Amino acid sequence: MSFAERSIVAELLTFVSVISLFTWILISRHAAGLFDGPQGLMHWARTVLWMIPVGIVVAILTSLLWESGYRLVTRDSADELTDERDRLIAGFGWKVTSITASTGFLLALGALALGYSVLVTLNLMLVAFALSDLTGNLAKLLRYRLGG
């Protein structure tokens, strides 16, 4: 498994852990009624804004631990060189990410135009951006597995 593939796996592990945690937090706070009333969207936004720094810290820690663990177990040396294939695969992943995010954003706007609440629309956008990260990483991993 190349360094790029290991990085993608670490990103997927980060995705699962961070999204699971924040889905649980959002659902429990919604069930408690924290997002109701005039201050509801402000509470939702504050909750979601915490996802950014927490996600970054978890991503860095996961990458470091994953790579360190891999090297300890396999006794491999560093192979962090990137070539043209890595750049092409990364570009492909960005395209998949962009298409998924754009589609989700348009669907969320459509939901708002159909009369759904702002909270539902914001949650749809949040899901769209989360899915765009997931699909982009899965697309890159698939390209690596298929040989680029």
Side-chain angles (χ1 to χ4, degrees):
M1 184 182 288
S2 72
F3 175 76
E5 289 175 281
R6 290 192 306 271
S7 294
I8 294 169
V9 170
E11 288 177 33
L12 289 170
L13 289 172
T14 301
F15 173 84
V16 168
S17 61
V18 170
I19 295 300
S20 298
L21 172 66
F22 277 97
T23 299
W24 175 73
I25 290 171
L26 285 172
I27 289 173
S28 63
R29 288 185 179 182
H30 180 67
L34 189 62
F35 305 142
D36 298 337
Q39 301 296 320
L41 291 177
M42 180 187 68
H43 291 298
W44 181 90
R46 287 179 178 170
T47 302
V48 171
L49 280 174
W50 274 103
M51 290 177 72
I52 297 168
V54 169
I56 290 169
V57 169
V58 171
I60 291 169
L61 291 175
T62 303
S63 294
L64 290 173
L65 292 173
W66 183 260
E67 189 62 25
S68 299
Y70 180 84
R71 289 195 184 162
L72 283 173
V73 170
T74 63
R75 305 279 185 211
D76 271 350
S77 61
D79 61 343
E80 300 173 19
L81 299 174
T82 58
D83 58 10
E84 189 63 29
R85 183 185 88 146
D86 293 327
R87 287 186 200 93
L88 289 172
I89 290 173
F92 176 73
W94 274 109
K95 287 177 189 173
V96 171
T97 298
S98 298
I99 290 169
T100 307
S102 300
T103 302
F105 180 75
L106 290 174
L107 289 173
L109 285 179
L112 188 60
L114 291 173
Y116 287 90
S117 72
V118 174
L119 185 62
V120 169
T121 304
L122 288 171
N123 281 319
L124 286 172
M125 285 185 205
L126 185 62
V127 168
F129 290 123
L131 286 177
S132 69
D133 180 55
L134 178 65
T135 57
N137 281 322
L138 289 175
K140 287 190 295 187
L141 190 60
L142 182 64
R143 287 293 291 264
Y144 275 110
R145 290 280 131 197
L146 294 176

